[in-house]
Amino acid sequence: MAVSIEAKNLTKDFVITKKEPGLKGAFKSLIHSEKSILHAVNNISFSIETGQIVGYIGPNGAGKSTTIKMMSGILQPTSGEVTIGGLSPFKERKKVVRNLGVVFGQRTQLYWDLRLGESFELLRRIYEIDDDTYHKNLTVLNDILNIQEIINTPVRQLSLGQRMRGDLAAAILHSPPVIFLDEPTIGLDVDVKYCVRQFIKDINEQYHTTIILTTHDLGDIEKLCDRIIIINHGEIIHDCSLETLMNNFAPDRQLVVDLYKEPENSVAINNVKIIKQEGARLWIEYNKKETGTGDIIESIAAKYPIRDISIEESKIEDVIRKIYAKGEIQN
Ligand SMILES: Nc1ncnc2c1ncn2[C@@H]1O[C@H](COP(=O)(O)OP(=O)(O)O)[C@@H](O)[C@H]1O
Ligand SMILES: [Mg+2]
């Protein structure tokens, strides 16, 4: 089923009370508090097509969870709108939740006092999942998330990783075409993180599920996302592929070149910046959009015989950190 997500000038304001420091301040703000408005999500627009995996990233407090909450019908937008398959999740929550699976990494949606399997049975009734779908989904989920191992354990006794596996399974029991995952890998160890990533990949491939994922783990983004939307201070600052982002913000590539022997004079090569030279080893930098690596290597080799070469790509972490920092200067 094709279900796209559209946000148009979506905005959420919170009225917050300014507190003055100290006990005296606390009393004062009880009596006449100074209020101000926080634009948690400020006039954002995007359109997400069926089957995309979108990484929704930004620093703490950027407005990611607030957006997810508006998209899942938990919060009402202050202005603007978001629709899922043409419906407003807040106004038509009942209809929309059938198309939606939502997981908040920080908070379980499972029933604390029930066994995991009993939670699933409840969801089966709430969503009126037919027998075929239910059993098929449980089998698939068991393959990916090894659910059988924990199905009889009360939710309160599950470890964080087990609970996350349970939460993910619960979110897609009713085969929703759209899922929102708000920090699904937070606090998980490497094994479970891998399992969650595999789950996201498999579900997207098998069911063509549309997935919006917020995460601080850029490994998740690199492994999974076709597109990233970066939000800062409630505003979208970039919306593109990771590749485009990297090309725009880290256009330079570094090579470490070992020559057969130390050059006698200072080294000069066209289109290349020599960053450092130590004996027969050179560190060079060039713009990968303007010049191909092959050409660079050829022009070095024409002058200086090369023994070994390694390429150093910019790290995604560095680029993203740079982008976040830029947002701070502007604001
Ligand atoms: N219920 C609320 N009342 C007041 N302020 C809130 C509320 N929820 C979130 N905020 C504020 O809105 C901003 C965005 O929060 P959030 O969407 O949770 O950010 P993120 O998920 O990107 O870390 C933050 O400054 C946060 O403190
Ligand atoms: Mg959040």
Side-chain angles (χ1 to χ4, degrees):
M1 194 192 343
V3 176
S4 59
I5 305 163
E6 305 280 341
K8 244 186 265 154
N9 307 113
L10 186 64
T11 298
K12 182 72 195 179
D13 294 338
F14 290 114
V15 178
I16 50 170
T17 312
K18 274 194 190 148
K19 286 204 184 87
E20 287 181 36
L23 196 57
K24 217 170 158 188
F27 278 120
K28 218 168 131 192
S29 48
L30 267 179
I31 302 159
H32 51 91
S33 48
E34 209 180 305
K35 300 236 172 11
S36 69
I37 289 179
L38 173 77
H39 306 294
V41 172
N42 196 0
N43 204 25
I44 65 171
S45 301
F46 54 74
S47 164
I48 292 168
E49 285 154 36
T50 305
Q52 274 193 339
I53 304 183
V54 178
Y56 193 52
I57 66 172
N60 282 331
K64 304 177 295 294
S65 296
T66 305
T67 312
I68 302 276
K69 284 175 191 162
M70 287 192 281
M71 292 195 296
S72 35
I74 298 168
L75 281 178
Q76 182 172 26
T78 306
S79 62
E81 62 167 10
V82 61
T83 55
I84 297 184
L87 301 176
S88 152
F90 191 81
K91 292 183 200 139
E92 295 172 275
R93 187 145 185 219
K94 268 203 172 140
K95 278 190 199 153
V96 175
V97 288
R98 290 188 178 277
N99 284 333
L100 263 191
V102 186
V103 173
F104 291 97
Q106 317 257 29
R107 198 183 63 199
T108 186
Q109 315 253 79
L110 299 167
Y111 302 90
W112 205 237
D113 295 315
L114 299 184
R115 294 172 197 283
L116 185 60
E118 293 169 330
S119 274
F120 288 178
E121 283 295 334
L122 259 180
L123 291 168
R124 177 185 187 170
R125 274 176 227 157
I126 292 171
Y127 289 111
E128 296 162 346
I129 307 168
D130 65 73
D131 290 356
D132 258 12
T133 311
Y134 184 75
H135 288 118
K136 197 177 130 239
N137 284 349
L138 262 192
T139 311
V140 173
L141 289 169
N142 198 33
D143 286 348
I144 313 176
L145 299 170
N146 203 2
I147 289 297
Q148 209 51 46
E149 181 189 281
I150 48 175
I151 198 133
N152 288 318
T153 312
V155 171
R156 63 164 73 252
Q157 285 174 21
L158 297 175
S159 71
L160 181 62
Q162 292 173 329
R163 201 215 83 203
M164 183 48 65
R165 279 153 56 201
D167 258 306
L168 288 169
I172 68 140
L173 269 182
H174 59 297
S175 309
V178 174
I179 58 181
F180 300 142
L181 305 171
D182 194 359
E183 311 224 21
T185 54
I186 197 161
L188 300 181
D189 64 37
V190 186
D191 284 353
V192 190
K193 213 179 244 188
Y194 179 81
C195 173
V196 172
R197 279 184 195 164
Q198 202 54 44
F199 165 86
I200 295 172
K201 240 192 178 127
D202 284 358
I203 294 302
N204 173 259
E205 272 166 19
Q206 288 191 36
Y207 300 104
H208 209 53
T209 310
T210 310
I211 296 166
I212 299 186
L213 165 74
T214 86
T215 180
H216 283 290
D217 189 318
L218 298 171
D220 293 343
I221 299 288
E222 192 180 10
K223 291 276 167 356
L224 297 168
C225 299
D226 316 312
R227 169 177 170 192
I228 51 181
I229 298 179
I230 306 185
I231 180 173
N232 200 2
H233 299 291
E235 289 173 19
I236 291 178
I237 53 171
H238 295 285
D239 180 350
C240 57
S241 68
L242 183 60
E243 196 190 348
T244 306
L245 198 76
M246 292 301 286
N247 282 339
N248 288 344
F249 286 88
D252 292 334
R253 178 178 272 161
Q254 272 195 25
L255 287 183
V256 182
V257 185
D258 287 322
L259 306 174
Y260 268 103
K261 62 180 201 311
E262 188 175 341
E264 280 155 22
N265 303 314
S266 68
V267 178
I269 304 152
N270 285 344
N271 301 322
V272 161
K273 205 161 73 191
I274 313 286
I275 304 172
K276 197 163 90 172
Q277 183 185 342
E278 266 177 28
R281 176 167 282 191
L282 304 173
W283 282 262
I284 67 174
E285 198 174 76
Y286 58 97
N287 187 310
K288 63 185 174 196
K289 272 204 277 195
E290 288 165 8
T291 324
T293 308
D295 298 334
I296 297 287
I297 294 173
E298 222 169 81
S299 53
I300 303 172
K303 286 184 172 175
Y304 314 95
I306 296 174
R307 194 167 60 81
D308 199 5
I309 261 181
S310 64
I311 298 178
E312 291 186 1
E313 290 287 354
S314 304
K315 291 201 178 67
I316 299 173
E317 276 83 3
D318 294 340
V319 173
I320 299 285
R321 202 172 338 109
K322 228 164 51 182
I323 292 172
Y324 289 176
K326 222 168 148 194
E328 297 319 309
I329 293 163
Q330 281 164 0
N331 281 279

